[in-house]
């Protein structure tokens, strides 16, 4: 198990390449380990080179709004493979009706073990529409909201950076609605892999924590409308940090640009 993801992402990648197995897939050959668990704070993120954090922020907004908006994803990531942006990956549509029930259950019984969102449903079976995430369980303990996520498949290069933003933002929203503090997230992946075409994977060093700002409302109904408004505003986020997100260290794009300049200078 990898704990403290935010400081050990590079180690995680090195272990995957050293101990993983080569596996062919319809999307190319990958290096894979099975049954890997990763833990991190709700609000952690990693920023890989050639990556795009805007995908994570946009997926979080769609999850909260309960919609699938392919055009907003294309605007957020114009150079990405847009064939990957499908309704099957739209978690917002899948959990839209479950979120109010989850909030009500946690409000009535904060210590419940039944507060779980089912992302994959019976109609998916083992078809191509089956999402990468199976379930997201919420546990309130000692005044903090924690999440346990089960994934059938997790791409460490393209998927993980966006997913931990989406999961972390969701936990922060649930905690905000209920009046608790956000806690930890534990993700267990059946297939934990990286595609050879994406190697080498390196990260941009800098801030690794985000907190949703005061602009984000505190009830589910108002959060949904707010998230929808953000999606249709077509705002481009400078430095891949939206105005409704507070970074706990560094200064967004300026910080990353400085790190890149220092790295380039060291190589010359």
């Amino acid at each position: 198990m990898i704990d403290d993801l935010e400081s050990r992402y590079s180690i995680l990648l090195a272990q995957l390449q050293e101990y993983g197995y080569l596996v062919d897939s319809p999307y190319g050959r990958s290096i894979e380990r099975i049954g890997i668990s990763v833990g991190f704070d709700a609000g952690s993120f990693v920023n890989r080179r050639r990556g795009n954090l805007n995908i994570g922020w946009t997926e979080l907004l769609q999850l909260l709004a309960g919609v699938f908006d392919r055009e907003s994803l294309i605007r957020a990531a114009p150079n990405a493979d847009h064939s990957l942006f499908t309704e099957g990956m739209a978690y917002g549509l899948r959990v839209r009706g479950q979120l109010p029930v989850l909030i009500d259950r946690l409000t009535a019984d904060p210590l419940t073990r039944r507060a779980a969102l089912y992302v994959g449903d019976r109609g998916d079976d083992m078809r191509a529409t089956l999402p990468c995430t199976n379930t997201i369980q919420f546990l309130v303990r000692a005044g903090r909201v924690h999440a346990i996520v089960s994934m059938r498949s997790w791409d460490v290069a393209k998927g993980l950076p966006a997913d931990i933003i989406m999961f972390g933002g969701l936990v922060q929203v649930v905690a905000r609605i209920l009046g608790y503090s956000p806690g930890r997230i534990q993700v267990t992946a059946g297939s934990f892999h990286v595609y050879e075409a994406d190697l080498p994977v390196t990260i941009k060093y800098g801030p690794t924590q985000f907190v949703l700002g005061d602009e984000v409302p505190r009830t589910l109904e108002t959060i949904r409308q707010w998230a929808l408004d953000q999606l249709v505003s077509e705002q481009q986020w400078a430095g891949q940090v939206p105005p409704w997100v507070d970074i706990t260290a560094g200064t967004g794009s300026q910080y990353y640009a400085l790190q890149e300049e220092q790295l380039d200078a060291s190589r010359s």
Side-chain angles (χ1 to χ4, degrees), residues 170-234:
L170 178 60
V171 169
Q172 289 190 33
V173 162
V174 171
R176 176 171 299 200
I177 292 172
L178 297 174
Y180 298 112
S181 299
R184 298 280 293 174
I185 299 174
Q186 190 74 38
V187 180
T188 299
S191 171
F192 189 77
H193 59 268
V194 62
Y195 288 98
E196 285 188 319
D198 293 326
L199 295 173
V201 178
T202 55
I203 65 172
K204 298 178 180 179
Y205 293 97
T208 59
Q209 297 286 327
F210 74 89
V211 177
L212 298 183
D214 292 336
E215 301 93 326
V216 181
R218 296 182 177 272
T219 67
L220 183 58
E221 294 78 11
T222 53
I223 285 172
R224 281 184 162 168
Q225 185 57 55
W226 169 86
L228 191 60
D229 291 342
Q230 299 304 309
L231 287 170
V232 300
S233 69
E234 300 188 31

Side-chain angles (χ1 to χ4, degrees), residues 103 105-112 139-146 171-183 218:
I103 295 299
R105 179 171 290 278
L106 287 171
T107 300
D109 182 8
L111 297 181
T112 183
L139 292 170
V140 177
R141 298 294 184 269
R144 302 177 74 197
V145 177
H146 308 279
V171 169
Q172 289 190 33
V173 162
V174 171
R176 176 171 299 200
I177 292 172
L178 297 174
Y180 298 112
S181 299
R218 296 182 177 272

Side-chain angles (χ1 to χ4, degrees), residues 244-259:
W244 39 270
V245 168
D246 295 327
I247 301 298
T248 58
T251 56
S253 61
Q254 295 177 357
Y255 186 95
Y256 293 128
L258 177 62
Q259 295 297 307

Side-chain angles (χ1 to χ4, degrees), residues 3-207:
D3 206 10
D4 189 21
L5 169 66
E6 49 272 23
S7 64
R8 299 193 65 193
Y9 183 64
S10 295
I11 297 174
L12 180 151
L13 285 164
Q15 290 179 345
L16 176 58
Q17 293 177 68
E18 182 175 357
Y19 301 112
Y21 294 91
L22 290 175
V23 178
D24 290 324
S25 81
Y27 307 104
R29 196 161 69 165
S30 65
I31 304 173
E32 177 190 69
R33 297 181 71 190
I34 63 173
I36 299 297
S37 292
V38 179
F40 51 94
D41 289 332
S44 299
F45 69 90
V46 295
N47 193 3
R48 71 176 183 89
R49 289 189 174 87
R50 303 195 310 271
N52 186 345
L53 294 180
N54 285 337
I55 297 176
W57 307 124
T58 303
E59 288 183 346
L60 170 60
L61 289 173
Q62 295 196 25
L63 174 62
L64 298 176
V67 301
F68 170 60
D69 184 348
R70 188 170 185 268
E71 293 306 312
S72 69
L73 285 165
I74 292 175
R75 289 196 301 269
N79 299 321
D81 180 359
H82 298 155
S83 67
L84 299 176
F85 299 154
T86 65
E87 190 167 313
M89 65 170 280
Y91 293 1
L93 292 176
R94 293 172 173 272
V95 304
R96 179 180 176 88
Q98 300 178 55
L99 271 175
V101 179
L102 179 130
I103 295 299
D104 288 346
R105 179 171 290 278
L106 287 171
T107 300
D109 182 8
L111 297 181
T112 183
R113 296 188 291 266
R114 299 178 182 176
L117 300 175
Y118 286 83
V119 184
D121 61 40
R122 189 175 181 86
D124 294 310
D125 296 326
M126 288 174 276
R127 302 172 185 174
T129 57
L130 186 66
C132 294
T133 303
N134 302 322
T135 59
I136 308 173
Q137 181 186 9
F138 294 83
L139 292 170
V140 177
R141 298 294 184 269
R144 302 177 74 197
V145 177
H146 308 279
I148 295 85
V149 182
S150 172
M151 300 187 71
R152 65 170 182 85
S153 176
W154 208 9
D155 181 336
V156 182
K158 287 189 172 72
L160 184 149
D163 289 338
I164 65 174
I165 287 176
M166 180 170 57
F167 297 145
L170 178 60
V171 169
Q172 289 190 33
V173 162
V174 171
R176 176 171 299 200
I177 292 172
L178 297 174
Y180 298 112
S181 299
R184 298 280 293 174
I185 299 174
Q186 190 74 38
V187 180
T188 299
S191 171
F192 189 77
H193 59 268
V194 62
Y195 288 98
E196 285 188 319
D198 293 326
L199 295 173
V201 178
T202 55
I203 65 172
K204 298 178 180 179
Y205 293 97

